[in-house]
Amino acid sequence: MLIFLWAESQGRVIGLHGGLPWHLPADMHYFKTVTTGHTIVAGSKTFASFPRPLPNRKNIVVSHQPATAFPENVSVLHSLPAVRAYAAARPQEKIFVVGGAQLFAGLLDDVDFLYRTRIDAGFDGDTWMPVIDYSQFTLIDQQPGIRNEKNPYDFVFEQYQRH
Ligand SMILES: NC(=O)c1ccc[n+]([C@@H]2O[C@H](COP(=O)([O-])OP(=O)(O)OC[C@H]3O[C@@H](n4cnc5c(N)ncnc54)[C@H](OP(=O)(O)O)[C@@H]3O)[C@@H](O)[C@H]2O)c1
């Protein structure tokens, strides 16, 4: 199953200068908890924003570049049809598409679940989540984030399932 996992602020902003516009450790913790033991699929720009392949998860990068351009413990897929085929061959596996915008846009028709962290604050950005038709999805879970000194925004963890 294909799951989108991302955080967005007001106006669907998701990125700035190759990284995240905000520092929200509670969301990083959520990302780690949800994805550990599963598979993550990242576009090469998003992969480049990680300090290293993420541990305890299968890391797949989507890129036109040869596999030799990436660390050995990373799998490389060279097209969106290849991602679809990978997921179709593993229906029981949780495959988290973790961005960025190019991957989200290209796989929007294929995604089964949406795990969105909605940050109720405004940030400058240069990368946006594509428009999603939420009428095709049911909100199945919603947990408020805890705002505190280290996480100084209102935010909500949402999970949607395609009908
Ligand atoms: N807020 C969030 O939750 C979140 C999540 C993820 C990312 N982000 C942010 O989003 C930004 C990056 O997003 P982005 O949209 O610019 O880039 P991206 O989707 O991460 O990566 C784009 C790259 O992926 C590869 N790619 C994309 N489509 C492909 C296809 N059909 N076939 C083969 N390769 C393909 C290409 O790599 P090559 O050029 O190597 O061929 C392309 O340059 C960063 O700022 C990041 O921090 C935010």
Side-chain angles (χ1 to χ4, degrees), residues 20 35-36 58 98 116 134 138 141:
L20 300 175
T35 59
T36 291
K58 183 173 173 68
V98 298
R116 169 171 81 162
Y134 285 93
T138 306
D141 194 49

Side-chain angles (χ1 to χ4, degrees), residues 10-124:
Q10 289 168 359
R12 288 182 288 105
V13 166
I14 64 165
L16 179 68
H17 304 324
L20 300 175
W22 48 80
H23 179 63
L24 194 61
D27 188 54
M28 298 180 83
H29 178 75
Y30 177 76
F31 182 104
K32 183 178 173 187
T33 303
V34 165
T35 59
T36 291
H38 304 291
T39 297
I40 59 161
V41 180
S44 72
K45 291 187 182 163
T46 295
F47 182 73
S49 76
F50 301 156
R52 67 191 77 82
L54 301 182
N56 307 315
R57 278 148 281 194
K58 183 173 173 68
N59 285 230
I60 297 178
V61 182
V62 183
S63 172
H64 299 97
Q65 300 172 65
T68 48
F70 297 95
E72 265 184 12
N73 52 351
V74 164
S75 300
V76 181
L77 294 174
H78 295 289
S79 70
L80 297 180
V83 176
R84 292 184 192 109
Y86 183 94
R90 296 163 181 80
Q92 304 303 324
E93 200 168 308
K94 280 188 171 181
I95 301 169
F96 289 93
V97 176
V98 298
Q102 286 189 29
L103 244 61
F104 289 137
L107 294 169
L108 199 46
D109 288 342
D110 305 284
V111 70
D112 303 299
F113 290 86
L114 308 172
Y115 286 19
R116 169 171 81 162
T117 304
R118 207 186 68 229
I119 305 170
D120 294 325
F123 292 90
D124 288 337

